[in-house]
Amino acid sequence: MIVEALLANAVILLGLALILWVISLQIDDVSFVDAYWGGGMALMALVSWLRLYDPGPLATLLMAMTFIWGARLCLYLFLRWRREGEDKRYKRILRTDRENGRFALAALTKVFLGQSVLLFLVSSPAQYGILEASALTPISGLALVGLTLWAVGIVFEWVGDWQLARFKANAANDGKVMDKGLWRYTRHPNYFGDACVWWGIWLAAASAGWWVAAATVIGPLFLTFTLTRWSGAPLLEGGMKKSRPGYAEYRARTSAFFPLPPKKSLS
């Protein structure tokens, strides 16, 4: 039953990705796919929960944790895209394909299908945990630890995004580096929050059985890797070094990921 449900979820995700791909061709912009990342995970959790005849407390908790995180992120990133337009990162990624007339194929394979595979993988703890939890599976101590870690992540992500949005909304800050609030202790409070959220969801899902933890640990592991070593911080910081004169000094004194007290300025 679980395998069939996961396959059905994958088909739903594929259909959604194809619809969004067609829309991206009409508007010649793929960068709204960032909103699809959170929204797609929220959708996977919701449809998994709706498949249960009698959802128990653990399944409902996992669905709520994932849906709250994903829906907020989806709305935030969609509104940011509407406000700021095409993301420079996707311009760089697809520049050569656009120039060579391969934009449609590259947008499908590199962006929408690629994001869908990773989205499905990262959200596997929520999907598998919801589907595995029975109506009688209680909210255990381990699930509460996961909920606590999730809450820490929510605070870092939501507050970090709010602080950055306020900073960018002030024209006097153009060209400056955001180094106040949570950004004083980590260069990426939102990424740190994301990692905490999904390790928290994985811990909560693990209370449904050790096999759930073993089968889905690749989700938070891969997310942490991509945020810290692949398409998250490295890609973002590459552009920041060129566009923010004070970024090198900020980088030297501020923790890359885990929140830590800032180092004393070398100057």
Side-chain angles (χ1 to χ4, degrees), residues 93-106:
I93 292 171
L94 298 174
R95 180 180 293 121
T96 302
D97 296 298
R98 193 187 297 273
E99 292 171 352
N100 294 332
R102 298 193 300 267
F103 174 75
L105 179 61

Side-chain angles (χ1 to χ4, degrees), residues 99-123:
E99 292 171 352
N100 294 332
R102 298 193 300 267
F103 174 75
L105 179 61
L108 177 62
T109 56
K110 291 183 179 180
V111 179
F112 289 98
L113 292 184
Q115 286 266 28
S116 297
V117 172
L118 301 182
L119 188 162
F120 192 85
L121 176 68
V122 172
S123 65

Side-chain angles (χ1 to χ4, degrees), residues 233-248:
L235 192 60
L236 180 62
E237 292 196 357
M240 293 290 287
K241 292 176 185 177
K242 300 176 182 178
S243 61
R244 298 289 190 273
Y247 196 76

Side-chain angles (χ1 to χ4, degrees), residues 1-2 52-62 126-138 204-205 207-209 211-212:
M1 172 186 171
I2 291 179
L52 302 179
Y53 174 75
D54 185 16
L58 179 61
T60 301
L61 176 66
L62 288 168
Q127 295 183 70
Y128 196 173
I130 290 169
L131 294 167
E132 182 65 31
S134 71
L136 300 177
T137 305
S207 65
W211 53 93
V212 176

Side-chain angles (χ1 to χ4, degrees), residues 13 16 20 32-46 63 65-78 115 119 122-123 157 194 198 223:
L13 200 61
L16 179 59
L20 295 177
F32 64 87
V33 73
D34 285 344
Y36 166 61
W37 178 257
M41 293 194 195
L43 178 64
M44 290 295 94
L46 181 61
M63 184 276 292
M65 291 167 70
T66 308
F67 191 85
I68 290 170
W69 170 83
R72 198 286 314 185
L73 183 62
C74 177
L75 179 62
Y76 173 79
L77 293 177
F78 179 78
Q115 286 266 28
L119 188 162
V122 172
S123 65
E157 185 177 354
D194 264 357
W198 279 99
L223 178 67

Side-chain angles (χ1 to χ4, degrees), residues 173-194:
N173 293 324
D174 287 348
K176 295 182 179 179
V177 176
M178 171 55 165
D179 60 356
K180 303 294 190 296
L182 295 178
W183 299 83
R184 184 169 181 263
Y185 303 100
T186 166
R187 300 200 298 269
H188 303 284
N190 48 354
Y191 290 168
F192 174 74
D194 264 357

